[in-house]
Amino acid sequence: MFSSLDSLWQWITENASTFSGITSVGMLIIWAAYLQLLLHNFRMQRRPQIIINRGKGRDINSVCLFSNMSKQSVFIDLVMARITTSKTQWLCNVTDIVDDSGQPVSLDRHDKGRDISLHEFTRQGPMVSGDYMDAGTFGNMIRQAGFAGGIEFDENHDIAGDDELVSIEISLIANFGAEHHQIGARRTFHIQKADDGRVLLVPDDARTEQFKTRRQRRTLQRWRRELEDVPDK
């Protein structure tokens, strides 16, 4: 028995360098996996994710919701609506909310003594992680964009003549955490009419397109330049 133990110990001693190498490789693999996990968590905390979706229905009177699924807070700086019809297309700044006449909502028009929410007047504002913002109905955005584009929609969101509403694209520009560069998000909803007469919104993609890289930020600059050619009304 003792001779067997001596043989085993001698074999281990002779192969000590091999065992040391295997142990070092194992520790290297463990540390690499640990660092990869830390890097993944770090990237997730710095990755912006803003969701644009419908709420309280699926038709044109449903609410447009902005949800911040990022790990950090965001500040919505600019909200835009791109309207596409069968004949034309234009981009409109819908950051500030307007009334039925196309004029910005004024504080003087609200009853005194009532608590006033910032979101009654603007779609601009902060959202913490996991928070959401009610940006009003898609129908209101379409009518607001119509004022800017010189096109009037009736109560059924139809256009006079043979022009037809095709889609509405909602896009936004936001500040993300402590980042110096702005980020963006965009989602397009196509217009379809149901058999019961309702005007439905059908998203062209299941996900909201994110704009966060240097190349993608050029699109945000293009949006701003395009808005300069569309004066607010």
Side-chain angles (χ1 to χ4, degrees):
M1 177 179 178
F2 289 106
S3 60
S4 299
L5 292 175
D6 290 340
S7 300
L8 178 60
W9 176 252
Q10 182 179 1
W11 181 82
I12 294 175
T13 303
E14 292 175 352
N15 295 275
S17 59
T18 302
F19 288 130
S20 178
I22 294 174
T23 302
S24 299
V25 171
M27 290 297 296
L28 181 62
I29 293 175
I30 292 174
W31 276 107
Y34 181 70
L35 291 175
Q36 183 69 23
L37 181 61
L38 290 178
L39 181 60
H40 174 73
N41 291 335
F42 177 75
R43 288 178 174 175
M44 288 296 295
Q45 291 182 359
R46 296 177 60 88
R47 179 180 299 173
Q49 185 75 9
I50 300 177
I51 307 300
I52 302 174
N53 205 357
R54 303 157 299 177
K56 299 181 181 179
R58 294 294 181 265
D59 59 17
I60 205 165
N61 294 316
S62 61
V63 175
C64 180
L65 296 177
F66 302 149
S67 302
N68 179 25
M69 305 309 295
S70 314
K71 294 295 184 180
Q72 300 184 41
S73 300
V74 299
F75 183 90
I76 304 298
D77 180 49
L78 182 64
V79 181
M80 296 154 287
R82 184 184 302 276
I83 304 299
T84 300
T85 71
S86 56
K87 290 186 176 181
T88 185
Q89 181 186 101
W90 71 95
L91 183 68
C92 174
N93 183 347
V94 294
T95 305
D96 295 327
I97 299 174
V98 301
D99 57 21
D100 293 337
S101 63
Q103 298 299 317
V105 177
S106 173
L107 285 170
D108 298 334
R109 307 179 68 173
H110 288 261
D111 298 333
K112 294 182 179 180
R114 184 174 67 86
D115 292 336
I116 299 175
S117 171
L118 177 67
H119 297 310
E120 294 182 46
F121 309 97
T122 181
R123 298 179 174 95
Q124 186 181 71
M127 290 192 300
V128 299
S129 177
D131 195 10
Y132 73 93
M133 177 188 297
D134 179 346
T137 66
F138 285 90
N140 287 337
M141 288 186 179
I142 290 173
R143 283 191 291 271
Q144 182 173 349
F147 286 122
I151 295 179
E152 185 175 352
F153 297 93
D154 62 18
E155 62 276 5
N156 297 320
H157 297 91
D158 290 327
I159 309 172
D162 57 352
D163 200 3
E164 293 183 356
L165 185 62
V166 175
S167 67
I168 175 173
E169 172 193 287
I170 303 299
S171 53
L172 58 86
I173 299 177
N175 297 311
F176 175 62
E179 294 289 332
H180 297 292
H181 301 288
Q182 291 188 314
I183 62 171
R186 177 175 66 185
R187 197 175 188 189
T188 300
F189 298 86
H190 295 283
I191 307 298
Q192 292 185 2
K193 291 198 174 180
D195 296 336
D196 57 3
R198 289 188 304 154
V199 181
L200 303 179
L201 294 171
V202 181
D204 68 340
D205 195 291
R207 298 174 297 178
T208 302
E209 186 178 5
Q210 308 294 318
F211 297 83
K212 53 192 176 183
T213 65
R214 177 179 299 181
R215 177 178 298 180
Q216 291 170 337
R217 285 196 296 268
R218 297 175 184 172
T219 302
L220 309 186
Q221 298 173 359
R222 178 171 55 81
W223 289 345
R224 291 188 180 276
R225 290 194 300 268
E226 190 174 352
L227 282 178
E228 293 176 358
D229 299 329
V230 183
D232 295 333
K233 296 187 178 182

